[in-house]
Amino acid sequence: MNIFAEAARLYEQNIPFALASIIETRGSAPRHDAMLLVQEGGETLGTIGGGMIERHVINEAMAALKEGRSRTVKGSMSRAGKDAMDMDCGGTMKVHIDVQGIRPDMLLVGGGHVNRAVAKLAAVLGYTMTVVDSWEPNLNARFFPPQTRFFLGGTITGAIGQATIRDNTQVIIATNHEDTVALPVILKSPARHIGQLASRRKVGILREKCREAGISEARFNQVRTPVGLDIGAESPEEIALSIMAEVLALSKGKALNSGLPCVSINGNRRVVIRGAGDLATGTAVKLHNCGFQVVMLDLPKPTVIRTNVSFAGALLNSNESICVEGITARKACSVSDARRVLDQGEVAVLADPDCHTLRQLKPAILVDGILAKRNLGTTRDMAPVTIALGPGFSAGDDVDAVIETCRGHSLANVIYQCEALPDTGKPGNILGYDKERVLHAPCAGRVLPKAVIGDLVQEGQIIAVIETGEGEQPVTTRISGKVRGLITAGTSVTEGFKVGDIDPRGASVEHTTVSDKARAIAGGVLEAILKLSR
């Protein structure tokens, strides 16, 4: 079969595929000018020479399809050295992998007047359309663009169940009376882009119904509701315009701020945060939601405890990304890479603890969120506005402002002169427990967790073990509660190193979103930015 004919067929059917093309060879290589078509499941057509180099390119093409981004890969057809493919040809090959056939996909839940108008606009913008409903008259093809797919169900749940929903499917929910049923079903799907047509009063009802259906608060917060930009829309056509304007803005990586003016310094909205732990992440979430571009700098392998709500996960996770409260943070390998991540509307995370990239990043605001209880090199000349979290900094000398991080009446206070309260050496008191909440390594070694964040555990239970050359030492909890934090598996630690924490409040405490403390501190940071920017 001709590779171009197959590519055309796949494109017409909106089936993702990648075209791998040899763009450079040096020395002895099996092919010098060839193409290979790869589909998501690994099916191929054509060849670039076979062997380990082709297997490597197929794996890279499948990864590129999953990520939705083209890439260029290199391979050395030798058994040793950089990019070695365990081959004997001796040459090198560079292959460009071009991701194709991924046209935006839209699922309209409900075929009423608003979604009919949305469909017409979306079709012009190149979306493929699927409409589901439980009322047959709403699925009349004359109301929708050609090539629209329709699914009718006895219930809205049954109709949704017939549709294919991917993580990149744009879902718009606008039913007559079935939103409270439809939204929880959609939230249990892989869809990341969900818009719900609703009044502000109805949002509260939807939130409660989703909670009853077992949907977490973090997942519900990913829904854009009421969907659409506030342009004073009233007619179905006007509402559709507001919805598609929002969809287009988000697809282009534009931050939405509900029409509020965004704070900037001479037009610069970039914030650099040193550290990417849970408290720094709370600040990043707040500032991102306020329209700032956020870049975080941390160690190549950060030793964070609350790993599921720390953007440091972008440097630790195998997929080089993490999502907290609907915001994606992605690892960047360079400043240009960071700019690309920011342009996509995401938070960029760089392995740069010493701020070597600061001169190129040119932030308007720098926040030291390392929480080392001492200053690790932050100075006021690093950015027009500098802010630090916690003790170890003198406001007015080291930085422009310091945010109090000690729990109690003064938490999140903004300090413009002098320092925050000194470190007490004790964790915050919760239900009468402080030091008992923290898990420490009994010896040096490698951490192997025996529980996961969110688990409910009992006093005396083994939460992790420390693997040494002479065996394993258990890490047990002294109290019952919920595992709120646990260091990444495989991390090497010293004796006494903090490896986790237990919250005695147990099931009642939320562990999948930014903590109350982190959210309060983030509010202090925003207050300082607003004042200092003036």
Side-chain angles (χ1 to χ4, degrees):
M1 182 182 294
N2 182 284
I3 197 168
F4 294 107
E6 178 66 359
R9 183 188 72 81
L10 294 172
Y11 183 84
E12 187 63 30
Q13 296 180 16
N14 201 30
I15 298 174
F17 66 96
L19 281 175
S21 307
I22 299 173
I23 58 175
E24 181 183 304
T25 59
R26 293 185 181 180
S28 178
R31 298 289 294 270
H32 297 276
D33 183 13
M35 298 179 71
L36 173 69
L37 185 150
V38 183
Q39 295 187 51
E40 283 182 306
E43 304 90 343
T44 64
L45 179 64
T47 179
I48 57 169
M52 296 302 296
I53 182 70
E54 183 163 298
R55 188 180 302 177
H56 174 63
V57 169
I58 291 171
N59 289 335
E60 286 288 331
M62 292 170 66
L65 282 165
K66 186 174 182 180
E67 187 180 355
R69 294 191 184 93
S70 300
R71 61 179 65 179
T72 299
V73 298
K74 297 178 182 178
S76 172
M77 283 155 284
S78 59
R79 294 189 180 275
K82 187 178 180 182
D83 303 319
M85 292 287 110
D86 198 25
M87 296 174 68
D88 296 315
C89 300
T92 62
M93 181 185 290
K94 183 185 291 186
V95 179
H96 180 68
I97 299 170
D98 190 16
V99 173
Q100 293 285 341
I102 305 180
R103 283 178 287 162
D105 188 25
M106 181 170 285
L107 172 64
L108 301 178
V109 182
H113 295 290
V114 170
N115 271 350
R116 294 171 193 174
V118 168
K120 292 174 183 176
L121 281 176
V124 173
L125 294 174
Y127 282 83
T128 61
M129 214 75 55
T130 300
V131 186
V132 299
D133 209 310
S134 61
W135 195 50
E136 191 170 5
N138 272 353
L139 299 180
N140 191 322
R142 68 186 180 89
F143 296 138
F144 296 92
Q147 312 304 320
T148 299
R149 296 183 294 270
F150 301 98
F151 292 107
L152 175 68
T155 63
I156 198 66
T157 300
I160 294 170
Q162 300 176 61
T164 299
I165 305 176
R166 303 183 180 89
D167 62 349
N168 61 348
T169 300
Q170 173 66 65
V171 182
I172 303 296
I173 304 173
T175 72
N176 183 27
H177 61 282
E178 298 173 293
D179 291 349
T180 55
V181 177
L183 182 56
V185 174
I186 292 297
L187 285 172
K188 292 177 181 178
S189 78
R192 290 183 287 112
H193 311 292
I194 305 168
Q196 169 72 63
L197 188 69
S199 66
R200 296 193 182 278
R201 177 182 175 276
K202 189 175 182 180
V203 171
I205 298 172
L206 289 167
R207 185 187 299 273
E208 184 58 35
K209 291 293 183 181
C210 286
R211 185 181 292 115
E212 291 173 2
I215 305 298
S216 70
E217 187 73 10
R219 179 60 168 149
F220 182 85
N221 287 338
Q222 294 175 6
V223 181
R224 305 189 312 280
T225 183
V227 66
L229 300 181
D230 186 2
I231 58 174
E234 293 186 1
S235 70
E237 291 74 19
E238 291 171 344
I239 295 170
L241 177 61
S242 76
I243 290 172
M244 288 310 301
E246 181 178 272
V247 168
L248 183 62
L250 291 170
S251 70
K252 300 295 184 182
K254 299 298 182 182
L256 302 179
N257 55 20
S258 305
L260 295 173
C262 182
V263 176
S264 64
I265 298 176
N266 297 324
N268 185 353
R269 297 183 293 114
R270 185 166 298 165
V271 179
V272 165
I273 301 178
R274 298 191 69 189
D278 64 301
L279 295 185
T281 296
T283 293
V285 166
K286 174 75 74 175
L287 298 184
H288 177 88
N289 284 335
C290 290
F292 290 95
Q293 292 186 323
V294 180
V295 180
M296 307 185 84
L297 310 179
D298 211 323
L299 297 164
K301 295 290 182 183
T303 53
V304 294
I305 302 300
R306 295 188 175 172
T307 50
N308 65 320
V309 289
S310 297
F311 283 150
L315 299 174
L316 298 169
N317 298 343
S318 57
N319 64 354
E320 300 184 342
S321 67
I322 185 171
C323 184
V324 177
E325 296 197 3
I327 299 169
T328 297
R330 195 174 301 278
K331 179 182 177 180
C333 298
S334 64
V335 171
S336 60
D337 200 18
R339 292 192 183 109
R340 178 182 59 78
V341 172
L342 294 175
D343 288 342
Q344 293 170 184
E346 299 175 334
V347 172
V349 187
L350 279 159
D352 180 22
D354 299 319
C355 299
H356 295 304
T357 57
L358 203 62
R359 182 171 294 182
Q360 291 174 277
L361 289 170
K362 297 181 174 63
I365 300 150
L366 181 132
V367 179
D368 188 311
I370 299 174
L371 279 298
K373 311 296 191 296
R374 58 193 177 93
N375 189 345
L376 296 181
T378 295
T379 59
R380 290 182 75 183
D381 61 2
M382 285 181 162
V385 170
T386 53
I387 301 166
L389 310 185
F393 301 88
S394 176
D397 296 320
D398 300 325
V399 291
D400 296 306
V402 172
I403 310 301
E404 181 59 67
T405 58
C406 183
R407 285 187 182 273
H409 181 73
S410 300
L411 176 65
N413 274 2
V414 184
I415 302 164
Y416 297 101
Q417 293 291 332
C418 73
E419 301 181 9
L421 294 172
D423 179 30
T424 63
K426 284 186 176 182
N429 188 299
I430 298 178
L431 298 184
Y433 298 102
D434 43 48
K435 289 183 178 180
E436 300 91 340
R437 297 194 299 108
V438 182
L439 305 174
H440 294 284
C443 59
R446 203 164 63 96
V447 181
L448 298 177
K450 297 297 181 181
V452 296
I453 292 175
D455 280 355
L456 296 177
V457 295
Q458 299 298 317
E459 179 183 346
Q461 184 173 332
I462 297 176
I463 309 302
V465 296
I466 307 300
E467 187 181 60
T468 70
E470 301 175 352
E472 296 179 347
Q473 291 291 321
V475 179
T476 58
T477 173
R478 291 185 282 173
I479 63 172
S480 299
K482 177 183 281 189
V483 179
R484 191 84 179 274
L486 197 57
I487 202 165
T488 304
T491 302
S492 295
V493 297
T494 56
E495 182 179 350
F497 198 91
K498 180 179 177 181
V499 297
D501 69 75
I502 308 297
D503 195 310
R505 292 173 291 184
S508 66
V509 70
E510 170 60 46
H511 66 278
T512 63
T513 57
V514 170
S515 69
D516 52 352
K517 179 178 178 179
R519 209 177 297 278
I521 291 169
V525 172
L526 183 59
E527 177 187 330
I529 290 173
L530 291 171
K531 180 169 182 176
L532 294 167
S533 296
R534 291 201 298 267

